[in-house]
Amino acid sequence: MISIKSLNKSYKTKDIEVHALKDISIDIQDGEFVAIMGASGSGKSTLMNILGCLDNKYSGDYLLDGTDIVELDEDGLAHIRNKKIGFVFQSYNLLPSLTLYKNIELPMLYAKTSGDVREKRVNELLDIVGLSNRGSHKPNEVSGGQNQRTAIARALANSPSFILADEPTGNLDSTSEQEIINIFKKLNSSGITVIMVTHEHSVGEQAKRIIEFRDGDIISDKLTGGK
């Protein structure tokens, strides 16, 4: 599904050039659960931006479902982000004025999905993340864990090729953290690909594969089997 070959990314700050990614090659298959790990400045966030089609200014190749991302214009990138990638962020990024139901529905509105299909899909997703009785609530009326479950449901709305989660448990207590990881495990066991960026070893070790970065290099790529 994802094929990255000889990927390089540099940033220039005044007279200094920082090599954020150094000749990286990664293949991720359909149905994997991958944790991308590393300290701040290791390159994992840069890779996340590229995987999420938020940045296509790099050298090397990134193919997503056979599409060469570097060749896309802004409209093409936006289409890929809406159709192929489900984003989950540390800060949830829910719209506070909308109910949880409406937040989940939003990507389907952008995709111009019909009303009856939207209703069926939102109710299905609320059930999957255990929020069937919370759809009418707004984000400030539920817990952080429930907001993150809503964000996961929203990420699934358009049946993306993969879920890209950036520090998805960073704002949560240990109980909510494990609830979110268990949802990812459940989704992955149903065949959904999950790519999770995290610096927390207790979280990353529950994925089935860990790719660890340091100073723009991959220092480890191993299967774990998950916990």
Side-chain angles (χ1 to χ4, degrees):
M1 180 187 67
I2 287 173
S3 180
I4 287 174
K5 302 296 182 188
S6 302
L7 189 67
N8 288 274
K9 175 70 180 184
S10 297
Y11 299 99
K12 285 188 177 180
T13 305
K14 295 184 179 180
D15 297 327
I16 301 172
E17 186 172 12
V18 177
H19 295 279
L21 294 174
K22 304 172 183 176
D23 206 36
I24 299 302
S25 294
I26 301 170
D27 288 317
I28 297 176
Q29 307 299 325
D30 282 326
E32 287 202 76
F33 184 2
V34 181
I36 297 173
M37 301 192 67
S40 178
S42 63
K44 66 183 190 298
S45 295
T46 300
L47 179 63
M48 187 209 72
N49 286 334
I50 292 172
L51 288 174
C53 298
L54 300 168
D55 179 3
N56 70 340
K57 308 300 181 186
Y58 50 79
S59 65
D61 298 309
Y62 170 26
L63 300 181
L64 172 56
D65 286 338
T67 298
D68 190 346
I69 300 303
V70 78
E71 295 180 353
L72 298 177
D73 60 15
E74 285 302 317
D75 287 343
L77 291 171
H79 178 77
I80 288 285
R81 289 193 296 266
N82 186 251
K83 290 288 189 180
K84 296 280 189 178
I85 307 168
F87 292 94
V88 179
F89 300 98
Q90 179 177 344
S91 56
Y92 324 132
N93 286 14
L94 301 176
L95 295 180
S97 62
L98 299 182
T99 64
L100 305 188
Y101 182 104
K102 291 294 184 181
N103 269 284
I104 296 168
E105 184 184 36
L106 205 56
M108 290 183 282
L109 289 171
Y110 291 140
K112 298 181 180 178
T113 305
S114 66
D116 55 339
V117 173
R118 294 199 309 270
E119 181 179 5
K120 180 179 179 182
R121 181 65 171 158
V122 173
N123 286 325
E124 175 185 55
L125 291 169
L126 283 167
D127 184 57
I128 287 172
V129 299
L131 293 174
S132 294
N133 60 343
R134 292 287 188 270
S136 62
H137 290 67
K138 291 184 177 179
N140 67 348
E141 297 172 337
V142 299
S143 68
Q146 289 170 328
N147 277 323
Q148 194 61 296
R149 281 190 264 163
T150 302
I152 293 171
R154 180 187 58 189
L156 293 166
N158 287 332
S159 301
S161 294
F162 67 97
I163 297 293
L164 183 58
D166 182 20
E167 300 285 359
T169 62
N171 286 338
L172 304 178
D173 60 45
S174 58
T175 299
S176 297
E177 171 184 292
Q178 193 57 52
E179 288 174 351
I180 295 303
I181 295 302
N182 288 342
I183 289 174
F184 283 140
K185 287 181 176 180
K186 179 181 176 182
L187 293 173
N188 181 246
S189 68
S190 72
I192 294 171
T193 306
V194 179
I195 302 172
M196 176 176 63
V197 177
T198 181
H199 69 276
E200 299 179 71
H201 284 278
S202 62
V203 173
E205 288 169 356
Q206 297 189 63
K208 294 179 180 177
R209 177 184 173 190
I210 297 175
I211 302 172
E212 190 167 0
F213 280 77
R214 181 186 298 156
D215 298 329
D217 287 312
I218 294 175
I219 61 170
S220 176
D221 186 348
K222 63 184 180 182
L223 298 176
T224 68
K227 288 186 177 180

